[in-house]
Amino acid sequence: MSRVLVIESSARQQGSVSRQLTQDFIAKWQTEHPADEITVRDLAVDQVPHLDADLLGGWMKPADQHSESEQAALQRSNLLTEELLAADVLVMAAPMYNFAIPSTLKSWLDHVLRAGVTFKYTETGPKGLLTGKRAFVLTARGGIYSGSALDHQEPYLRQAMGFIGIHDVTFIHAEGLNLGNEFQEKGLASARAQLAQVA
């Protein structure tokens, strides 16, 4: 049995293409892997605060010097990090907002990219500690950005995942969603065809 962690980040609950892709992924995965455990964390519903002084204090100060807010911030980071550590497969659903990922997803990443926990510094540079995991990134994009210099989504997420040791990352893009019906239908069909192969 494997554990699958799904991270939703669309601000919309209704009409969200990235959420549609997530449901397609989960349905396909459950058919192929019925014994697997799937956990969904919805960052639009259960928002993760931005990186702040309380979280930095929770990470850096000795436990006996934590304020209540620092302790609460550390506990939240620990919970999110433990979910990631326990997962064999990570699925991130990310609409493109202003050429990049939603700020909610960035906040989640800021809580789980932790020195000494998900990566460590060595004499030869940083080393990711989450080797052996797979990741899938399901994106929804109004335009067509794959391979474009305007795409700050895929390069950033590949870098972030690789930094913590996750190098097996598959991106599935639904593109052209705001370019008219023909582009929208083509973009969704392409994404769903790729989804059918992932499990």
Side-chain angles (χ1 to χ4, degrees), residues 6-25:
V6 178
I7 304 295
E8 293 275 24
S9 64
S10 174
R12 295 190 296 171
Q13 293 293 321
Q14 304 297 324
S16 166
V17 171
S18 66
R19 290 182 184 276
Q20 293 174 31
L21 296 178
T22 302
Q23 293 307 308
D24 290 347
F25 180 97

Side-chain angles (χ1 to χ4, degrees), residues 64-84:
D64 60 359
Q65 295 180 22
H66 287 164
S67 67
E68 288 187 10
S69 57
E70 288 170 341
Q71 181 61 30
L74 177 60
Q75 288 176 347
R76 180 177 56 244
S77 178
N78 287 343
L79 172 63
L80 297 173
T81 305
E82 287 163 7
E83 284 182 344
L84 178 58

Side-chain angles (χ1 to χ4, degrees), residues 7-160:
I7 304 295
E8 293 275 24
S9 64
S10 174
R12 295 190 296 171
Q13 293 293 321
Q14 304 297 324
S16 166
V17 171
S18 66
R19 290 182 184 276
Q20 293 174 31
L21 296 178
T22 302
Q23 293 307 308
D24 290 347
F25 180 97
I26 290 173
K28 174 67 173 175
W29 195 272
Q30 287 179 325
T31 298
E32 299 294 332
H33 309 279
D36 283 5
E37 177 184 314
I38 297 178
T39 299
V40 178
R41 176 165 289 279
D42 192 333
L43 301 177
V45 174
D46 187 11
Q47 293 189 4
V48 177
H50 291 297
L51 179 65
D52 60 13
D54 286 332
L55 182 55
L56 291 175
W59 284 342
M60 296 177 181
K61 291 181 181 178
D64 60 359
Q65 295 180 22
H66 287 164
S67 67
E68 288 187 10
S69 57
E70 288 170 341
Q71 181 61 30
L74 177 60
Q75 288 176 347
R76 180 177 56 244
S77 178
N78 287 343
L79 172 63
L80 297 173
T81 305
E82 287 163 7
E83 284 182 344
L84 178 58
L85 290 170
D88 303 292
V89 178
L90 172 65
V91 181
M92 289 184 284
M96 178 180 275
Y97 292 162
N98 299 316
F99 313 110
I101 62 174
S103 63
T104 50
L105 182 55
K106 175 62 165 60
S107 293
W108 178 81
L109 288 166
D110 285 341
H111 277 68
V112 301
L113 270 65
R114 292 176 57 178
V117 182
T118 56
F119 73 92
K120 66 179 180 179
Y121 291 109
T122 72
E123 293 180 354
T124 57
K127 178 181 179 181
L129 301 177
L130 303 190
T131 56
K133 298 182 187 293
R134 300 170 65 191
F136 297 92
V137 183
L138 317 177
T139 77
R141 301 168 165 196
I144 298 174
Y145 296 98
S146 291
S148 164
L150 296 177
D151 179 3
H152 305 291
Q153 191 180 51
E154 180 172 342
Y156 170 71
L157 288 175
R158 282 195 184 279
Q159 175 66 37

